[in-house]
């Protein structure tokens, strides 16, 4: 069965994103989290987290090249997430 041109384009784009740099976006504002991730997903492999705790765990799982985080969140805030990520890199 032959694939049409659109199928090839979608497959190529999917492969390109898979090989793109990864970004972890952490924000407890779900609308903003969705906006940022949708804005970046065309060019980057985006993982999201809706809390500092979840962000810390996802960071260990996906080892992103970049993380974007809200600073003011309940529980573990963005600054604490960054500090813990840095500590894990140095170990």
């Amino acid at each position: 069965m032959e694939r049409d041109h659109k199928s090839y384009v979608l497959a190529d784009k999917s492969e390109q994103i898979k090989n793109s740099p990864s970004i972890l976006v952490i924000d407890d504002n779900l609308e903003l989290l969705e906006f940022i991730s949708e804005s970046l997903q065309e060019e980057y492999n985006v993982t999201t987290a809706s809390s500092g705790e979840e962000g810390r765990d996802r960071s260990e799982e996906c080892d992103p090249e970049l993380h974007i985080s809200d600073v003011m969140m309940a529980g573990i805030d963005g600054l604490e997430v960054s500090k813990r990520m840095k500590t894990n890199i140095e170990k």
Side-chain angles (χ1 to χ4, degrees):
M1 180 176 173
E2 278 189 44
R3 295 190 327 182
D4 62 20
H5 176 70
K6 188 175 181 181
S7 296
Y8 283 116
V9 171
L10 292 174
D12 290 344
K13 188 70 171 174
S14 176
E15 189 64 29
Q16 177 185 356
I17 291 171
K18 205 185 305 182
N19 295 324
S20 296
S22 60
I23 297 176
L24 172 62
V25 181
I26 309 167
D27 201 314
D28 56 354
N29 179 327
L30 298 181
E31 289 177 2
L32 189 55
L33 181 67
E34 183 177 343
F35 173 76
I36 294 170
S37 64
E38 286 179 0
S39 298
L40 296 171
Q41 70 185 2
E42 288 289 321
E43 299 294 325
Y44 301 96
N45 185 5
V46 179
T47 302
T48 61
S50 59
S51 70
E53 293 86 357
E54 184 182 3
R56 179 197 60 220
D57 295 342
R58 296 263 171 118
S59 176
E60 292 173 3
E61 293 169 7
C62 69
D63 193 27
E65 280 90 2
L66 173 70
H67 82 272
I68 299 171
S69 179
D70 183 2
V71 174
M72 296 174 52
M73 294 184 288
I76 299 175
D77 65 20
L79 297 174
E80 184 65 26
V81 171
S82 294
K83 185 190 300 183
R84 290 182 185 190
M85 287 180 188
K86 183 178 176 186
T87 301
N88 284 343
I89 290 172
E90 294 173 351
K91 288 183 180 180

